[in-house]
Amino acid sequence: MVLGACSKTDLSVKEKVQAKTTKKADVQVFEPHKNLNQEPTPLKIERVGANEVNIEMTAQITDIEISKGDWYKAWTFNGEAPGPVVVVNEGDTINFKLKNMDPAIPHSMDFHAVHAAPSVDFTDVKPNEEGTFKYPANKPGVFMYHCGTKPVLSHIANGMHGTIIVKPKNGYPTDNEIDREYVIIQNEWYKYNDIEDFTNGVPKYVVFSTKALKNGDLNTNGAVGSLVDQPLLAKVGDRIRLYVNNVGPNEVSSFHVVGTVFDHVYVDGNPANHMEGLQTVMLPASGGAVVEFTVTKEGSYPIVTHQFNHANKGAVGTIKVTNDGKDDGSKTMSH
């Protein structure tokens, strides 16, 4: 009855008020996190046996620049969003410790790569406390990890996501052909800590990042342009392997590298899930893949999601190919 009586002018005024309220809410920081910007804490991973690793990670609040001049007070693992890549071997037992540095909110870890009882092994760690857990990683692949504390959507969308790679015990059939390998992660950003926008809105940004597989590798947060300003490098003739993961939380990725065809694709990174000659790999939220291809000429090879509304929001990157595989300082092309 009330809505039926509203004129177009009334609705316009109401929308303007809502817009102002939303804009104001965007900059209001969750009070216990106000002025909190915890320095990133390095991932701790130590092999303590042939099939056993100790992993220690932190849940913490760290400011992330998600676009030039646009900072997000992210809920993170180890001060990165996405969090650092975790690499273990098929058959490993993971002894996991989570330190919760957040002074106000419980957090947890949900590794998609393991067999576990979530009510026991993915339980909340209270603020300023730590929890220890143990589980096996018996399936190879490229898996998502994320905070599993309610509401899960808020924790993932605020930045608590990342990738764990379980390397196959017998490797991939193409291992001896690979010249370079990189990790590519797609994620989305919405209005700050806004569960309504997380649930019903569209992402403000959709972005790519890369995570270091070894010391000296490029390591970026999920920020617009991070892999355009700092392209991945290769030389003519290189066979490249990408470990790709779409951590969402909501959108599908249509992963594509312009100027090449994927010679080999291992869906979810499992060698048993082998496909050849793909142009695009569809990755659901949390989905992973290993993709391999050859770069045949010098130039820029854009990385995109072929859902170009998301590419327009930042989901682009670049592989720069030169004769010697070094950055020659030339301008790169991107989409």
Side-chain angles (χ1 to χ4, degrees):
M1 293 287 290
V2 174
L3 286 175
C6 286
S7 69
K8 290 183 179 180
T9 303
D10 292 333
L11 286 173
S12 178
V13 170
K14 184 177 180 181
E15 286 167 358
K16 288 178 181 178
V17 171
Q18 287 176 334
K20 289 180 179 179
T21 303
T22 302
K23 187 175 181 181
K24 184 178 179 182
D26 284 347
V27 298
Q28 289 179 337
V29 175
F30 177 56
E31 188 62 31
H33 293 166
K34 192 174 183 179
N35 300 319
L36 185 62
N37 183 20
Q38 296 168 324
E39 192 71 20
T41 304
L43 169 73
K44 293 182 181 179
I45 182 165
E46 178 187 14
R47 182 157 293 279
V48 294
N51 300 108
E52 188 172 5
V53 290
N54 293 342
I55 298 174
E56 182 180 303
M57 298 179 73
T58 58
Q60 60 180 90
I61 308 304
T62 301
D63 292 346
I64 303 291
E65 190 174 24
I66 57 176
S67 187
K68 188 174 181 179
D70 191 352
W71 290 82
Y72 196 102
K73 191 166 287 295
W75 306 3
T76 76
F77 288 108
N78 294 82
E80 300 181 30
V85 66
V86 176
V87 182
V88 299
N89 296 328
E90 180 184 357
D92 276 345
T93 294
I94 298 173
N95 303 313
F96 181 68
K97 178 185 289 186
L98 179 65
K99 290 187 173 181
N100 186 3
M101 298 167 56
D102 188 326
I105 300 175
H107 296 292
S108 59
M109 174 58 79
D110 178 343
F111 280 124
H112 285 201
V114 304
H115 288 93
S119 60
V120 177
D121 301 311
F122 297 161
T123 53
D124 289 352
V125 178
K126 294 179 181 179
N128 299 314
E129 294 188 7
E130 59 185 48
T132 57
F133 310 91
K134 177 180 286 192
Y135 15 64
N138 291 330
K139 294 291 184 182
V142 180
F143 301 97
M144 181 179 178
Y145 68 74
H146 61 86
C147 182
T149 301
K150 291 182 179 180
V152 177
L153 178 56
S154 285
H155 289 254
I156 298 175
N158 276 319
M160 302 194 80
H161 47 62
T163 298
I164 175 170
I165 297 170
V166 182
K167 298 175 72 173
K169 61 184 176 182
N170 295 321
Y172 295 96
T174 49
D175 278 347
N176 62 356
E177 303 171 18
I178 301 302
D179 299 296
R180 298 177 190 249
E181 54 183 12
Y182 297 106
V183 176
I184 302 289
I185 303 174
Q186 179 177 318
N187 77 276
E188 305 139 30
W189 293 107
Y190 297 80
K191 295 176 183 177
Y192 166 75
N193 197 27
D194 187 329
I195 189 64
E196 172 63 24
D197 196 46
F198 297 164
T199 304
N200 297 311
V202 296
K204 182 178 182 181
Y205 305 116
V206 184
V207 291
F208 287 139
S209 58
T210 188
K211 294 295 168 179
L213 284 167
K214 62 182 184 301
N215 289 337
D217 283 356
L218 183 63
N219 194 83
T220 71
N221 286 310
V224 174
S226 65
L227 298 186
V228 176
D229 299 336
Q230 295 178 282
L232 304 177
L233 300 175
K235 69 178 179 181
V236 174
D238 274 353
R239 174 67 65 86
I240 298 173
R241 172 181 289 162
L242 301 180
Y243 300 89
V244 190
N245 193 197
N246 172 29
V247 297
N250 298 328
E251 302 292 343
V252 170
S253 174
S254 298
F255 187 80
H256 177 76
V257 178
V258 181
T260 191
V261 177
F262 298 144
D263 301 313
H264 300 280
V265 175
Y266 302 99
V267 178
D268 267 338
N270 190 315
N273 303 331
H274 182 213
M275 305 177 77
E276 296 185 11
L278 272 65
Q279 59 185 316
T280 300
V281 177
M282 183 71 78
L283 300 173
S286 87
V290 166
V291 303
E292 298 172 358
F293 54 93
T294 303
V295 288
T296 59
K297 294 182 178 181
E298 280 190 281
S300 297
Y301 292 67
I303 303 167
V304 299
T305 172
H306 224 280
Q307 290 163 253
F308 270 99
N309 59 328
H310 292 162
N312 267 11
K313 293 184 175 185
V316 295
T318 304
I319 301 171
K320 179 188 278 192
V321 179
T322 61
N323 274 327
D324 60 5
K326 297 179 181 179
D327 193 343
D328 59 6
S330 63
K331 187 176 180 180
T332 57
M333 167 194 174
S334 72
H335 279 46

